[in-house]
């Protein structure tokens, strides 16, 4: 077991625990056999023997902590790092604020320790001097003397190039404001590790880049980015991309619906040679890109629609076999038939009988369908003639 400190004092600087995803607090455990990315566990997950993919509970491990002295016995390594961070944040000499940020030492202790070990320490002073001399010797031959430069090229006023480069500052070779200053915020915390699943790895890759068709759309619409804000421009692009996806999915849905319709036709008319011939003609028309016309040729030469398929239609279960046959021949959905039947029954009870003309006045549908329903109800004894 080793005492190491690989991260700063801020818990957010440390990767989360691989077991419970909580922020690591020292001391914590690092697997000595898993790598190259560190496999870190909090003490609770370590004591439970947490295992994940290649990591096993019997692997060698290291205890990660900075609770050990470095320069003086009364100062831990964690406090040394906290002191250096406080001096950088508050400024050298501002020992009151440094001590307030430290919280474990007063301002006299902070000043004395810093001056003794980081300013007046001969070891550190000689090391810094040597590093400075080495850096000066290295850059002596490569230093470029300063000289004023010519005025940078600028696009002609009110030209197409000047409009496309609105907000560009030639002297700084930079734009006044980026198109989206926070565009990379969603990417900065994405970390690729060996233990990522294939789906998670693919999702991380997908976040980092647009599909080719969306990128092409961005390139084509780039000139409109200066007209609206970044959020509105992104919505504009995404709406166009979603429209293309919708059209593609709609076409797939239409193809599937057409296939299901043809399958129902085959299952319904497989025993009918004339209907099979009609289905083959319909399929040939679809393959040729022609909208098929569904008709059935009777023995008398008249054209009529095929019987209605009642499979799955609401109200079918309430019909007997003879009523189902009527609805198929008349091509009337069960729900409508039951409504018309009840209306005719009520009128027949009210008047003590019913004539065909009264039935036609009561239900406003095709007169031939009304006659077939009227004759059927008379034949079955549901109603009687007036």
């Amino acid at each position: 077991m080793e005492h190491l400190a690989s991260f700063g004092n801020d818990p957010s600087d440390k990767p989360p625990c691989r077991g419970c995803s909580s922020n690591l607090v020292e001391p914590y455990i690092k697997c000595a056999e898993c790598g190259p990315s560190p496999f870190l566990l909090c003490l609770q997950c370590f004591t439970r023997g947490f295992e994940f993919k290649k990591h096993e509970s019997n692997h060698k491990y290291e205890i990660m902590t900075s609770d050990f002295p470095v320069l003086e016995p009364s100062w831990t390594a964690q406090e040394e790092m906290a002191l250096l961070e406080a001096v950088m944040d508050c400024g050298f000499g501002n020992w009151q604020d440094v001590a307030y940020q430290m919280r474990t030492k007063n301002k006299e202790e902070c000043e004395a320790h810093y001056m003794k070990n980081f300013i007046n320490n001969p070891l550190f002073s000689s090391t810094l001097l040597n590093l400075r001399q080495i850096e000066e010797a290295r850059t002596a031959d490569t230093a470029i003397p300063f000289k004023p430069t010519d005025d940078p090229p600028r696009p002609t006023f009110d030209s197409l190039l000047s409009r496309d480069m609105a907000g560009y500052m030639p002297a700084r070779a930079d734009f006044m404001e980026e198109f989206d200053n926070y565009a990379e915020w969603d990417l900065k915390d994405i970390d690729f590790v060996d233990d990522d699943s294939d789906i998670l790895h693919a999702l991380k890759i997908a976040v980092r880049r647009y599909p080719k068709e969306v990128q092409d759309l961005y390139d084509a619409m780039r000139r409109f980015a200066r007209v609206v804000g970044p959020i509105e421009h992104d919505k504009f692009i995404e709406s166009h991309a979603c429209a293309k996806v919708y059209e593609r999915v709609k076409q797939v849905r239409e193809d599937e619906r057409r296939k299901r319709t043809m399958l129902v036709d085959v299952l319904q008319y497989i025993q009918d040679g004339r209907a099979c011939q009609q289905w083959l003609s319909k399929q040939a028309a679809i393959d040729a890109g022609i909208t098929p016309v569904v008709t059935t040729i009777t023995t008398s030469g008249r054209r009529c629609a095929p019987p209605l398929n009642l499979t799955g239609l609401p109200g079918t279960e309430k019909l007997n076999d003879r009523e189902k046959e009527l609805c198929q021949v008349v091509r009337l959905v069960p729900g409508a038939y039951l409504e018309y039947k009840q209306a005719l029954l009520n009128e027949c009870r009210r008047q003590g009988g019913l004539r065909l003309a009264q039935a036609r006045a009561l239900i406003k549908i095709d007169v031939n369908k009304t006659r077939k329903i009227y004759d059927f109800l008379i034949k079955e004894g549901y109603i009687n003639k007036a």
Side-chain angles (χ1 to χ4, degrees):
M1 296 184 293
E2 298 181 5
H3 295 276
L4 298 172
S6 302
F7 305 99
N9 203 25
D10 189 353
S12 61
D13 292 340
K14 306 180 182 67
C17 172
R18 287 295 185 89
C20 60
S21 299
S22 61
N23 290 331
L24 291 171
V25 179
E26 295 183 357
Y28 54 91
I29 304 301
K30 174 185 177 183
C31 180
E33 299 184 22
C34 295
S37 59
F39 192 92
L40 307 178
L41 292 173
C42 64
L43 294 181
Q44 290 77 10
C45 293
F46 175 73
T47 55
R48 290 200 304 266
F50 176 79
E51 294 184 344
F52 181 74
K53 291 189 176 180
K54 297 179 181 180
H55 175 72
E56 298 180 0
S57 58
N58 59 355
H59 281 182
K60 296 179 181 179
Y61 62 91
E62 302 170 357
I63 300 177
M64 307 296 289
T65 180
S66 56
D67 188 18
F68 58 91
V70 178
L71 302 176
E72 293 184 8
S74 59
W75 283 72
T76 64
Q78 187 173 2
E79 290 175 327
E80 299 283 2
M81 291 188 294
L83 175 62
L84 295 177
E85 291 178 1
V87 172
M88 286 190 294
D89 293 342
C90 304
F92 176 76
N94 193 5
W95 303 114
Q96 184 67 41
D97 291 342
V98 170
Y100 179 79
Q101 183 169 325
M102 283 280 300
R103 296 193 181 276
T104 58
K105 303 291 183 181
N106 58 40
K107 66 175 184 178
E108 290 79 11
E109 291 174 326
C110 293
E111 180 180 7
H113 184 78
Y114 192 86
M115 297 300 296
K116 174 183 177 183
N117 294 283
F118 296 101
I119 301 298
N120 300 323
N121 190 331
L123 175 61
F124 287 177
S125 300
S126 60
T127 302
L128 291 175
L129 179 60
N130 292 336
L131 290 175
R132 186 179 298 110
Q133 292 174 347
I134 293 173
E135 180 65 18
E136 290 176 354
R138 186 181 68 83
T139 59
D141 298 333
T142 59
I144 301 176
F146 171 79
K147 63 178 181 179
T149 60
D150 298 331
D151 190 56
R154 303 171 187 270
T156 305
F157 177 74
D158 202 25
S159 64
L160 179 61
L161 181 59
S162 66
R163 292 194 295 270
D164 288 341
M165 299 181 65
Y168 181 72
M169 298 175 289
R172 293 181 55 183
D174 196 3
F175 282 87
M176 186 180 301
E177 183 178 350
E178 293 291 339
F179 165 67
D180 188 352
N181 285 329
Y182 304 101
E184 299 178 355
W185 275 37
D186 294 334
L187 306 179
K188 65 184 182 64
D189 294 327
I190 295 180
D191 186 22
F192 290 86
V193 296
D194 297 336
D195 295 331
D196 284 346
S197 63
D198 294 339
I199 295 178
L200 183 58
H201 183 80
L203 286 174
K204 291 180 178 179
I205 293 294
V207 170
R208 290 175 172 260
R209 63 190 180 195
Y210 285 112
K212 184 179 184 303
E213 58 182 12
V214 179
Q215 187 59 52
D216 293 342
L217 188 60
Y218 260 102
D219 295 339
M221 299 296 181
R222 191 186 304 275
R223 65 186 62 188
F224 299 107
R226 65 180 182 270
V227 180
V228 295
I231 296 179
E232 289 76 9
H233 185 67
D234 285 342
K235 289 181 179 179
F236 174 70
I237 297 296
E238 290 173 1
S239 64
H240 282 68
C242 291
K244 291 185 178 180
V245 173
Y246 169 78
E247 292 295 337
R248 185 166 61 249
V249 174
K250 180 181 177 181
Q251 183 61 43
V252 172
R253 184 171 64 247
E254 290 294 331
D255 294 342
E256 292 295 330
R257 185 185 62 79
R258 190 176 299 164
K259 291 178 182 178
R260 287 197 300 270
T261 302
M262 289 190 295
L263 180 59
V264 170
D265 290 344
V266 172
L267 295 177
Q268 185 175 358
Y269 306 129
I270 194 66
Q271 303 298 329
D272 189 342
R274 206 180 270 113
C276 287
Q277 184 63 38
Q278 177 191 6
W279 179 84
L280 292 174
S281 300
K282 175 183 176 181
Q283 186 180 23
I286 292 175
D287 293 339
I290 303 173
T291 302
V293 179
V294 181
T295 57
T296 301
I297 301 177
T298 64
T299 56
S300 62
R302 296 178 58 190
R303 295 177 178 268
C304 63
L308 178 66
N309 183 13
L310 303 182
T311 304
L313 293 181
T316 304
E317 69 281 356
K318 298 180 181 180
L319 306 180
N320 57 38
D321 292 340
R322 291 184 298 278
E323 288 178 318
K324 291 179 181 178
E325 183 179 358
L326 173 68
C327 289
Q328 288 177 330
V329 174
V330 180
R331 294 187 61 81
L332 192 65
V333 296
Y337 164 76
L338 292 173
E339 181 180 348
Y340 299 152
K341 174 185 175 182
Q342 190 61 45
L344 295 177
L345 288 178
N346 294 338
E347 186 68 15
C348 182
R349 293 193 193 100
R350 190 176 66 84
Q351 298 188 11
L354 191 66
R355 298 194 305 272
L356 177 59
Q358 293 174 321
R360 288 175 174 171
L362 191 62
I363 54 177
K364 304 296 184 179
I365 59 175
D366 180 71
V367 294
N368 294 321
K369 291 185 178 182
T370 304
R371 181 179 186 84
K372 291 180 180 179
I373 296 173
Y374 177 80
D375 292 342
F376 175 80
L377 296 179
I378 293 289
K379 180 181 179 181
E380 295 296 323
Y382 290 109
I383 61 175
N384 58 288
K385 293 184 179 180

